[in-house]
Amino acid sequence: MKKKLVSCLISFTLLSSLSTPLLAKAQENTEDIKGSLVIAGGGIGTSNHEIYEKFLSLAGGKEKAKVGIIPAASTTLQSSKKFKEDLVKYGANSDSIKILPVSNHDFSDTQKDESTWKNQVNDKKLSRTIKGLTAVWFVGGDQTKIVDSLRQNNGSNSEALKAIWDIYRKGAVIGGTSAGAAIMSDVMITGGDSLGALKDSLENKENKHVSKNQRSQKEYEPLSIQKGLGFFQHGIIDQHMDERARLGRLAVAAYTSERDKEKNFAYGVDEDTAMVVNNKDQKIEVVGRSGVAVLDMSKAELVSKQKARSGLENIKVSYLSPGDKINYHLKSFEFPKERVETKGFEYYSFNALPATGVFTPYGRLKAYLSYSLVDNESMKSAKSYVYDSKGSGYEIAFQKDNDTNGYWRYTDGQKDDYSIVNVKMDITPKTFKFQPDRKTSLTYKKPTFSSSESPAYDSIKGNLLIAGGALGSSNSSVYNKFINLAGGKQAKIGIVPAASTKFDSSNQFKSDLIKYGVKAENIEILPISNHDFKGTSENESTWKTNMNSDKLAQKVKGLTGIWFVGGDQTLITGSLRNENGSDSKVLQAIWHTYKNGAVLGGTSAGAAIMSNTMLAGGDSYGALSYGFTNTYDDMNQQEGGPAYLEKGLGFFQYGLVDQHFDNKARLGRLIATAYEKGNKNQLSYGIDEDTAMVVNNKEKQIEVVGRGGITLVDLAKVQANDKFPSDYKNILISCITPGDKVNLTTKEIVINPAKTSTRKNEYYSEKVGPNTGLFSPHGVLRKFLAYDLVDNAQSKEIKSYAFNQNKGFELTFRKSAESNGYWAYTDGQKDDYSIVKVALDIKPIDVDIR
């Protein structure tokens, strides 16, 4: 496929301005700048070699780079020292990296009083030092402290800032993360969230511009802006975009503050991601692990909808991924040639629910627009909402337009990676009213599925590695764990391809094992399937008889590890069980190798088959609203509807297992299934993507390995309304992360000792509103519970909602007597939380939106 160039239409219509004053443009002429910018959205992992190596390359290379780190945004020197350590790790010379004395305040982790540094910004010695650098990096924290440290009281540039501009013009790279990204544009966003920006700017309110010290008393924070340093003069920059759901904030900032919206995009950079600006080529490249949201406000209009309330319409939203490029002068995009267009070739066809909270599948912006809209032929439009606890808020409508398109490819093995262009977004004021549902019109069906218990084996010597899906080829901790449990690099591993319709995932896993040191001749893709595979000359449906092959069974008994790839879990059970439901000879051989010490592993569908009762279809809203179904509609049913259960293979004997847990928001599905069919004295386990639950049968213990977490559902103390389905009280929810362990019989949770308790030592103290959808910060369950509840002194309970049209559920998460949070930094300075025993109540509700 040829490289695509998608041009965006430019409107020269002058847009009406809101009350926020326009900031004066910076005076620096940027046309002759030879240097570059690396603008990171925050949360850069130490392992993110793409960003570090790009920065050092632009700084002249590892051996020649001379880097100055400006610590001004932070309250400590810790992040500056850590960044220096990371640069040295990536090959830079330690003696060539200096933490520059630029600050307007004292640092809490030193003996000196660094507030005196404010007087040094006009010192000639500091200017000479800066002029000898090839790169400057601004760490994160409070962006206003950076600006105040480098500008004079009259607003003019200090000598230090002039020196930075001088080396930037001559070819140096200027980089920064979080606050260090916010200062890059001329209009610098200094505070606010999406709801606060919308309410403050689009409603006729008297309480505008709430100060930061008032933030703890409000559920939302209005937009605030100041003049930035202006290194990037081609649009507004915002950061922590997806994690903190700042798309609404960026849209309002761009509409109210940009004098030349017709000329410039506005940019929102995700965490662990950077936009690299090449001033000479007038292009931006996306580098890192997530994406950059791009807003085209050239046709945006302010529309009055309700008394004293207005909305914004005709905003164009694009989302660029690593490897994509933006020509900011032409307002066009370039994509790598391996990306495939989705328009006219959509992979999915399901009715996506509106994005309403933590029960929404693909509940963050990029994933939601990808799966639920642009790569979904059934969907022309999709909705989300944002509102406060009084029900005052907005509907966010996303719509396919003539120029809407998606671009897909695999990344890091077989992870989906999407780019999205020109989705139309309208923001309309609405009021929301939630009342208890006293007489539901929904038809809830209890499961008729009955699964006889698999025999319990106390003497299993083998282990399990159960991965939640989307396992990255670079996830060394999971691969190395599997290989070690299989006997090391001499392991003999069989791959079961049955769940998939192609051999791609099996071949990919084999190549990954080889990359991690297993001999190619010791890995075999086993001829186990009940269907044909695409792209081969052989008819693999004939393999169905292999399940009772004595020769294949004997081969399986000689293996030390068996891996089940992802796809459709019913195809695995259908390939290993006889028509009468009994175990085939090959399945008996798998049990034999497992009992005698082999490790069994699997991802996605290969995880679902591990428990005795197998969750094979449905979503959270469907399971809670409609219960269970006896019919299975192939892969489409995995995206929504009532839950569908079948008998699994029963290798994991300590509760239910579900997968893709964070991305597909399956907490409600797991709760409904565990209540109806689980053992309430056991935990149920929801495994995130790119994460594995390692089961040690001898120790009767699990541990978390990988990049996400595992959600534990405990129904031992649940109270349910037998006369009204899905009305639950006192479900206990825990979320654990790599390094944490659980005893399978006592249910005791052992937290990684590197983490510190948050109880009575909470970092945050803020009033928070409900989690409502794509404009709500911390949309993933674990982060929502961490930031808004267990590490928030003001919160005793928090709410989220799941609804479709006029029916839904109110979710109330409460601190219980046993609740606690545990925090540590991981992969550099990323927050890592574990959450223990938060109580959850689920109440059916009627919904009225006006």
Side-chain angles (χ1 to χ4, degrees):
M1 183 178 73
K2 291 182 179 180
K3 186 176 292 187
K4 299 291 178 180
L5 190 67
V6 182
S7 297
C8 300
L9 298 177
I10 301 175
S11 170
F12 292 95
T13 306
L14 291 176
L15 302 178
S16 60
S17 175
L18 299 181
S19 59
T20 306
L22 294 172
L23 297 178
K25 287 296 249 183
Q27 298 303 309
E28 290 84 1
N29 179 8
T30 61
E31 293 179 359
D32 60 345
I33 292 175
K34 298 178 182 178
S36 303
L37 299 172
V38 175
I39 306 173
I44 301 177
T46 298
S47 63
N48 193 330
H49 63 89
E50 294 93 345
I51 292 178
Y52 282 98
E53 289 175 357
K54 190 72 169 182
F55 180 70
L56 286 173
S57 174
L58 293 171
K62 298 174 183 179
E63 295 179 358
K64 296 182 179 180
K66 295 179 180 179
V67 183
I69 301 171
I70 293 182
S74 184
T75 58
T76 70
L77 283 179
Q78 182 179 3
S79 53
S80 298
K81 292 176 180 177
K82 187 68 178 72
F83 188 71
K84 179 175 180 177
E85 289 175 12
D86 290 342
L87 291 178
V88 172
K89 174 187 170 184
Y90 281 97
N93 187 334
S94 178
D95 294 336
S96 298
I97 306 169
K98 302 180 186 299
I99 298 175
L100 301 176
V102 177
S103 177
N104 67 349
H105 61 280
D106 189 25
F107 293 98
S108 62
D109 57 347
T110 67
Q111 298 295 322
K112 296 180 181 178
D113 180 7
E114 289 84 7
S115 63
T116 59
W117 287 357
K118 171 70 174 173
N119 301 323
Q120 297 184 38
V121 290
N122 290 310
D123 184 83
K124 292 182 178 179
K125 181 180 179 182
L126 176 60
S127 295
R128 285 196 299 270
T129 299
I130 292 172
K131 288 181 179 181
L133 300 174
T134 62
V136 173
W137 183 267
F138 296 88
V139 301
D142 183 345
Q143 47 264 51
T144 63
K145 292 178 179 177
I146 301 175
V147 175
D148 186 61
S149 298
L150 284 170
R151 282 224 171 95
Q152 310 276 44
N153 292 334
N154 63 2
S156 62
N157 291 352
S158 66
E159 293 301 316
L161 183 53
K162 290 176 182 177
I164 295 171
W165 268 101
D166 182 64
I167 63 171
Y168 177 40
R169 288 183 186 283
K170 293 177 179 177
V173 57
I174 310 297
T177 182
S178 188
I183 54 97
M184 294 288 181
S185 52
D186 219 32
V187 175
M188 179 176 73
I189 300 175
T190 59
D193 52 37
S194 285
L195 179 59
L198 291 168
K199 291 181 73 65
D200 188 58
S201 297
L202 304 185
E203 298 181 17
N204 183 17
K205 297 286 184 180
E206 295 180 0
N207 61 339
K208 290 188 176 185
H209 306 298
V210 174
S211 63
K212 285 190 175 182
N213 60 7
Q214 293 175 288
R215 170 67 179 95
S216 64
Q217 303 304 313
K218 296 184 68 65
E219 294 178 7
Y220 50 86
E221 181 185 1
L223 172 70
S224 59
I225 57 176
Q226 292 184 19
K227 182 177 171 58
L229 298 185
F231 299 120
F232 180 74
Q233 296 204 347
H234 307 282
I236 296 177
I237 303 291
D238 207 348
Q239 17 76 46
H240 297 281
M241 175 56 53
D242 202 26
E243 171 59 27
R244 299 187 189 177
R246 286 174 167 171
L247 188 71
R249 162 173 123 161
L250 179 60
V252 172
Y255 187 86
T256 61
S257 304
E258 272 295 295
R259 178 183 305 175
D260 51 354
K261 293 184 286 287
E262 293 83 0
K263 295 181 181 178
N264 291 331
F265 286 142
Y267 304 87
V269 191
D270 286 351
E271 293 183 356
D272 223 4
T273 307
M275 51 184 275
V276 179
V277 182
N278 184 316
N279 287 295
K280 183 179 179 181
D281 293 343
Q282 297 186 323
K283 287 185 180 181
I284 296 166
E285 180 183 5
V286 182
V287 176
R289 290 177 173 158
S290 187
V292 174
V294 182
L295 292 184
D296 183 352
M297 305 296 292
S298 61
K299 293 185 177 181
E301 299 175 315
L302 182 70
V303 182
S304 296
K305 293 291 185 179
Q306 295 182 1
K307 184 178 181 181
R309 302 183 72 196
S310 300
L312 280 174
E313 294 186 348
N314 295 321
I315 301 165
K316 285 292 182 74
V317 179
S318 300
Y319 228 108
L320 283 293
S321 294
D324 299 343
K325 294 183 178 180
I326 305 162
N327 187 315
Y328 56 78
H329 179 64
L330 298 176
K331 293 182 74 175
S332 62
F333 306 123
E334 298 177 20
F335 302 103
K337 61 182 180 180
E338 62 267 23
R339 286 199 183 276
V340 178
E341 290 186 61
T342 62
K343 191 172 185 177
F345 304 95
E346 292 85 356
Y347 182 80
Y348 294 95
S349 181
F350 66 93
N351 293 320
L353 294 172
T356 58
V358 295
F359 271 11
T360 300
Y362 314 114
R364 301 314 301 151
L365 181 68
K366 180 181 172 184
Y368 185 74
L369 293 182
S370 299
Y371 294 102
S372 298
L373 188 63
V374 299
D375 201 17
N376 190 336
E377 65 178 355
S378 296
M379 300 292 290
K380 303 300 181 187
S381 62
K383 294 180 179 179
S384 185
Y385 306 93
V386 62
Y387 43 84
D388 59 23
S389 59
K390 295 180 180 179
S392 174
Y394 297 84
E395 175 187 271
I396 302 98
F398 299 96
Q399 185 175 326
K400 288 179 180 174
D401 221 334
N402 291 332
D403 56 351
T404 302
N405 208 341
Y407 295 84
W408 169 91
R409 69 175 175 182
Y410 278 136
T411 186
D412 192 13
Q414 289 195 307
K415 290 183 178 180
D416 288 332
D417 183 35
Y418 284 96
S419 301
I420 300 157
V421 295
N422 296 326
V423 170
K424 181 175 178 285
M425 180 174 74
D426 298 332
I427 303 173
T428 307
K430 298 283 184 180
T431 55
F432 301 80
K433 189 175 183 179
F434 304 112
Q435 293 182 320
D437 185 354
R438 302 298 185 189
K439 190 176 181 180
T440 185
S441 59
L442 302 176
T443 303
Y444 181 93
K445 295 182 179 179
K446 286 185 169 290
T448 58
F449 163 79
S450 178
S451 176
S452 58
E453 291 296 320
S454 292
Y457 296 100
D458 292 329
S459 59
I460 294 176
K461 297 177 183 178
N463 301 292
L464 299 172
L465 189 147
I466 309 174
L471 179 61
S473 294
S474 64
N475 195 329
S476 58
S477 58
V478 172
Y479 278 96
N480 287 331
K481 191 72 174 181
F482 180 73
I483 292 168
N484 289 337
L485 291 172
K489 296 180 180 179
Q490 302 301 315
K492 296 181 179 180
I493 296 171
I495 300 171
V496 177
S500 185
T501 57
K502 299 185 294 185
F503 278 112
D504 292 4
S505 51
S506 298
N507 289 328
Q508 178 68 55
F509 189 71
K510 180 176 180 177
S511 66
D512 288 341
L513 291 176
I514 295 170
K515 181 180 79 172
Y516 283 101
V518 181
K519 294 180 179 179
E521 59 268 27
N522 287 353
I523 309 168
E524 182 174 351
I525 298 174
L526 302 174
I528 298 173
S529 176
N530 63 354
H531 60 279
D532 191 25
F533 286 85
K534 298 176 183 177
T536 67
S537 57
E538 185 177 355
N539 181 5
E540 288 84 6
S541 64
T542 61
W543 287 0
K544 184 173 175 64
T545 58
N546 288 350
M547 71 169 74
N548 286 305
S549 163
D550 291 324
K551 182 179 179 181
L552 182 56
Q554 196 62 36
K555 178 179 290 186
V556 166
K557 289 181 179 179
L559 299 174
T560 60
I562 298 172
W563 184 264
F564 298 87
V565 300
D568 184 341
Q569 46 265 52
T570 65
L571 297 178
I572 300 176
T573 55
S575 300
L576 286 171
R577 281 222 173 88
N578 296 311
E579 295 292 336
N580 63 3
S582 62
D583 292 357
S584 67
K585 291 182 179 180
V586 170
L587 182 52
Q588 291 173 27
I590 293 172
W591 268 103
H592 174 86
T593 58
Y594 175 42
K595 287 189 288 182
N596 284 281
V599 58
L600 306 184
T603 183
S604 186
I609 54 98
M610 292 290 180
S611 49
N612 192 51
T613 296
M614 180 175 75
L615 289 83
D619 68 350
S620 287
Y621 181 82
L624 291 171
S625 299
Y626 307 109
F628 298 80
T629 179
N630 294 325
T631 59
Y632 182 62
D633 184 21
D634 199 28
M635 292 290 286
N636 286 336
Q637 194 161 327
Q638 295 193 20
E639 302 302 329
Y644 175 72
L645 308 177
E646 281 194 9
K647 180 176 173 59
L649 299 185
F651 301 125
F652 179 69
Q653 305 192 343
Y654 300 95
L656 298 172
V657 170
D658 209 347
Q659 19 77 43
H660 293 282
F661 206 70
D662 53 353
N663 203 30
K664 298 194 178 184
R666 286 174 166 170
L667 177 64
R669 171 172 111 163
L670 184 58
I671 288 170
T673 306
Y675 181 78
E676 299 286 0
K677 301 303 297 181
N679 180 341
K680 294 180 179 59
N681 292 318
Q682 293 179 328
L683 297 174
S684 296
Y685 304 83
I687 309 171
D688 290 350
E689 294 185 351
D690 217 5
T691 307
M693 180 171 88
V694 179
V695 182
N696 184 319
N697 284 297
K698 182 179 179 181
E699 301 292 335
K700 292 185 171 50
Q701 179 178 267
I702 69 161
E703 66 174 314
V704 188
V705 176
R707 292 173 173 155
I710 296 175
T711 300
L712 311 174
V713 176
D714 188 346
L715 298 183
K717 298 179 180 179
V718 70
Q719 301 170 28
N721 184 347
D722 292 334
K723 296 181 180 179
F724 210 99
S726 301
D727 187 348
Y728 299 112
K729 291 183 179 179
N730 215 37
I731 301 164
L732 291 181
I733 304 295
S734 301
C735 301
I736 57 176
T737 60
D740 299 337
K741 299 178 180 180
V742 180
N743 185 297
L744 291 164
T745 53
T746 67
K747 301 192 290 189
E748 179 188 4
I749 300 171
V750 180
I751 300 296
N752 184 339
K755 293 178 180 174
T756 57
S757 171
T758 63
R759 190 166 187 167
K760 297 183 180 179
N761 190 34
E762 292 87 355
Y763 183 80
Y764 299 96
S765 182
E766 298 178 349
K767 188 175 182 181
V768 295
N771 185 283
T772 60
L774 302 181
F775 278 16
S776 289
H778 317 306
V780 176
L781 176 68
R782 174 165 49 92
K783 294 187 177 183
F784 172 54
L785 295 181
Y787 291 106
D788 286 1
L789 185 63
V790 299
D791 204 15
N792 189 343
Q794 278 204 49
S795 291
K796 299 291 188 286
E797 65 177 38
I798 53 176
K799 294 183 183 292
S800 182
Y801 293 88
F803 56 87
N804 186 24
Q805 297 180 342
N806 64 342
K807 293 290 183 182
F809 301 92
E810 179 185 74
L811 316 177
T812 303
F813 297 91
R814 298 180 283 106
K815 286 178 179 173
S816 70
E818 302 170 285
S819 296
N820 205 345
Y822 298 87
W823 169 90
Y825 277 136
T826 186
D827 190 17
Q829 289 191 305
K830 291 183 179 181
D831 289 332
D832 181 30
Y833 283 97
S834 299
I835 296 117
V836 173
K837 295 185 179 179
V838 165
L840 167 63
D841 301 335
I842 301 177
K843 183 175 290 296
I845 54 171
D846 289 318
V847 183
D848 183 18
I849 305 175
R850 297 185 183 183

